[in-house]
Amino acid sequence: MELGNNMNMSSNDGQAQSHYPQLIHPILQKIPKGLRFLICGGASNLLFLLGLNTLTSLFQHQYTHSTIYSAFSIVYIPVGHALSCAIVFGWPNPYLPSLISTSPIGLSCAAIGTFLTGFLDRIHFDRMVKNFLELHPLMMSMKKNDDSDDEDSGTYSALVVLIVTGVFAYYASDYLMGSKSSSAKKKKE
């Protein structure tokens, strides 16, 4: 089984027939794959941050940031996979084996993110960033008087974790889902 392969078996003659991968909309075919990956990453990260911040605000008094991150990122694996299939690589047929074959990427990102979130939480990274921004002359003029200084919200930590796991996921996904079709083409030549 090759994921991300742009070849489809014709039902009439059993020969491989070249076509574009099935994306959520045909207009996406005109956008380069790297740019589609950035668009997908932006949308996926936005959804992830909204979900993570919602869960963090609901459960931060019961669980650590790293526990919330870990649970949510595991639940989010199918959502992220579906978005990348629909926008970047094309919808695989059958879907479930593709999801299962890429789940190690999501689980690895969850492990990296959980470790990094726990580490950044232990060193009070959000508080350090807030203190730095308050001391920066440009930020001092824009500083708002809010009462949330006594609690670390996890926002800056979440951004760092998203960047690190996003870079990892990009290269791992492109290798697993995108490069196999390129290597198959090279072998045929």
Side-chain angles (χ1 to χ4, degrees), residues 79-96:
V79 176
H81 180 261
L83 279 173
S84 21
C85 288
I87 297 173
V88 182
F89 299 107
W91 201 260
N93 188 18
Y95 178 77
L96 194 56

Side-chain angles (χ1 to χ4, degrees), residues 20-41:
Y20 290 111
Q22 183 181 355
L23 301 176
I24 196 166
H25 195 278
I27 194 82
L28 291 172
Q29 297 293 347
K30 296 179 181 180
I31 301 172
K33 186 170 94 175
L35 186 56
R36 289 194 318 253
F37 202 93
L38 285 174
I39 292 167
C40 177

